[in-house]
């Protein structure tokens, strides 16, 4: 039987990646740092999975010695992370044909020259996280060109799925925003008129694209954005929620800096992250090369995630 290792198996992407690999006929080893349960633990595929608690370094040594067919690296954040895995594979005979899927981020692009951005857009991340993903992706691309590494890099938008609070209409993950809308309370959005975009993706679609890439050699050495087909504006998201909960829209538009000052702690940090980036990515490349289209649109993705949180008024 074909074998696959998933590093970061109980995280937001891994919870769907592991079952998808099982369904694709792989004997899966799911590696995570601790013993946390996956959000999708009720899916029967998890009963067929070998679960291992290990650090990243321990996982990489284990993988190199076992010569799997596929490695899905879901927690690769820097060039150093990628280099450690690649060199371990290179230095252990028998790993020449390992198929690697690595997870990047839509945040490799921050300042957009056009929208939606595509995979050819200049990489201009401004923060440490984004820079790390840019350098990681560039390193893996070089390994493909110079050493024939069988790699594909996926760049997801705001990741959603059951058990995970999505980035909400105010750019934060604070469930109180949803609760306020449930109760018909006022929601403040940044000018101009809440037109900042959010671009989510269901983890199931990330996993589906990964399987498609593994099965199609046209994906070798490529990078693909993976998002819902269209982004949603903060305004549009709020309006859908007021409608969902049977409330009359109650929006107030305020200057960007005013709302920033009214938010505190983690919410302020998340607001700045998402407003400053206003992501909007194209899925055309995955469709053109692989014939892949996401199964979930933006609202279906968001509604499933929010409903799974069981937020009470």
């Amino acid at each position: 039987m074909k074998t696959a290792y998933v590093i970061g198996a109980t995280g937001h992407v891994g919870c769907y990646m592991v079952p998808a690999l099982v369904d694709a006929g792989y004997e899966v080893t799911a590696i995570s740092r601790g013993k946390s349960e996956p959000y999708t633990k009720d899916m029967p595929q998890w009963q067929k999975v070998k679960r291992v608690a290990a650090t990243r370094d321990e996982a990489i040594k284990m993988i190199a010695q076992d010569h799997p067919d596929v490695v899905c690296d879901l927690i690769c954040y820097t060039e150093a992370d990628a280099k450690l895995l690649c060199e371990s594979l290179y230095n252990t005979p028998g790993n020449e044909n390992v198929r690697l899927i690595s997870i990047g981020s839509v945040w490799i692009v921050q300042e957009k020259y056009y929208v939606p951005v595509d995979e050819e857009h200049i990489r201009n991340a401004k923060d440490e996280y984004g820079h790390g993903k840019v350098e990681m992706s560039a390193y893996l691309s070089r390994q493909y060109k110079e050493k024939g590494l069988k790699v594909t890099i996926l760049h997801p938008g705001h990741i959603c799925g059951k058990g995970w609070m999505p980035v909400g209409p105010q750019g934060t993950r604070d469930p109180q925003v949803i609760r306020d809308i449930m109760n018909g309370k006022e929601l403040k959005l940044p000018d101009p008129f809440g037109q900042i975009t959010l671009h989510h993706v269901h983890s199931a679609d990330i996993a589906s694209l990964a399987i498609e890439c593994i099965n199609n050699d046209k994906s070798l050495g490529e990078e693909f954005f993976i998002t819902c087909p269209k982004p949603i504006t903060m305004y549009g998201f709020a309006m859908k929620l007021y409608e969902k909960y049977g409330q009359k829209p109650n929006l107030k538009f305020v200057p960007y800096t005013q709302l920033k000052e009214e938010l505190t702690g983690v919410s302020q940090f998340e607001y700045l992250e998402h407003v400053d980036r206003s992501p909007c990515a194209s899925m055309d490349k995955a469709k053109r090369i692989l014939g892949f289209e996401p199964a979930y649109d933006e609202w279906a993705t968001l509604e499933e995630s929010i409903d799974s949180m069981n937020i009470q008024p």
Side-chain angles (χ1 to χ4, degrees), residues 176-195:
Q176 185 60 45
V177 173
I178 309 300
R179 196 171 290 115
D180 286 346
I181 293 175
M182 285 180 172
N183 291 312
K185 293 184 178 180
E186 178 184 87
L187 178 68
K188 292 180 180 178
L189 295 179
D191 274 329
F193 305 108
Q195 294 302 297

Side-chain angles (χ1 to χ4, degrees), residues 165-166 173-180 182 245 305-313:
M165 184 67 197
R173 289 192 173 89
D174 185 356
Q176 185 60 45
V177 173
I178 309 300
R179 196 171 290 115
D180 286 346
M182 285 180 172
Y245 297 118
S305 293
I306 291 169
D307 287 349
S308 75
M309 300 306 296
N310 195 29
I311 299 169
Q312 300 300 312

Side-chain angles (χ1 to χ4, degrees), residues 21-278:
L21 286 163
V22 172
D23 286 343
Y26 287 87
E27 182 180 281
V28 181
T29 300
I31 303 175
S32 55
R33 286 188 295 266
K35 297 181 179 180
S36 60
E37 291 296 318
Y39 306 128
T40 57
K41 63 182 180 181
D42 293 335
M43 294 177 70
Q45 292 92 330
W46 282 98
Q47 302 304 314
K48 302 178 181 180
V49 173
K50 178 182 178 182
R51 294 186 59 186
V52 176
T55 65
R56 182 178 176 82
D57 288 359
E58 292 168 340
I60 287 172
K61 291 177 183 177
M62 185 189 317
I63 289 167
Q65 294 299 322
D66 205 31
H67 314 307
D69 297 287
V70 170
V71 176
C72 295
D73 189 356
L74 311 184
I75 54 170
C76 188
Y77 300 110
T78 65
E79 179 178 340
D81 289 342
K83 189 174 183 180
L84 185 65
L85 174 59
C86 289
E87 290 188 348
S88 181
L89 293 174
Y90 294 149
N91 294 334
T92 308
N95 290 311
E96 295 80 9
N97 292 312
V98 171
R99 189 68 176 83
L100 175 61
I101 300 292
S102 190
I103 299 297
S105 173
V106 75
W107 284 3
I108 57 174
V109 175
Q110 182 163 343
E111 296 176 344
K112 298 175 287 296
Y113 287 84
Y114 52 84
V115 291
V117 298
D118 57 26
E119 291 81 355
E120 302 305 314
H121 195 287
I122 187 172
R123 310 296 168 84
N124 53 22
K126 300 300 179 185
D127 68 332
E128 183 179 356
Y129 177 85
H131 274 301
K133 292 292 189 178
V134 169
E135 293 172 358
M136 175 209 81
S137 302
Y139 171 81
L140 290 172
S141 294
R142 289 197 303 273
Q143 301 314 295
Y144 166 73
K145 293 173 183 176
E146 297 171 6
K147 298 186 177 181
L149 176 68
K150 295 184 175 181
V151 64
T152 304
I153 305 155
L154 307 184
H155 295 293
H158 307 315
I159 298 169
C160 297
K162 291 180 179 179
W164 178 237
M165 184 67 197
V167 176
Q170 209 173 53
T172 76
R173 289 192 173 89
D174 185 356
Q176 185 60 45
V177 173
I178 309 300
R179 196 171 290 115
D180 286 346
I181 293 175
M182 285 180 172
N183 291 312
K185 293 184 178 180
E186 178 184 87
L187 178 68
K188 292 180 180 178
L189 295 179
D191 274 329
F193 305 108
Q195 294 302 297
I196 297 298
T197 54
L198 302 168
H199 212 168
H200 300 79
V201 60
H202 199 297
S203 290
D205 279 328
I206 302 174
S208 293
L209 179 55
I211 298 298
E212 184 64 37
C213 289
I214 291 167
N215 292 336
N216 192 331
D217 285 349
K218 291 180 180 180
S219 71
L220 290 173
E222 299 288 354
E223 300 182 46
F224 296 98
F225 285 126
I226 174 63
T227 61
C228 293
K230 296 179 181 178
I232 195 168
T233 63
M234 290 181 164
Y235 170 80
F237 193 173
M239 292 293 284
K240 291 290 286 186
L241 286 171
Y242 279 114
E243 178 184 354
K244 173 180 173 64
Y245 297 118
Q247 298 290 354
K248 182 179 178 180
N250 188 0
L251 296 171
K252 181 177 181 180
F253 302 104
V254 300
Y256 160 85
T257 52
Q258 177 183 329
L259 186 51
K260 168 192 167 184
E261 295 304 320
E262 291 183 13
L263 297 171
T264 59
V266 173
S267 288
Q268 185 185 76
F269 175 74
E270 291 174 341
Y271 167 78
L272 292 173
E273 279 193 322
H274 300 120
V275 170
D276 286 352
R277 287 172 178 81
S278 191

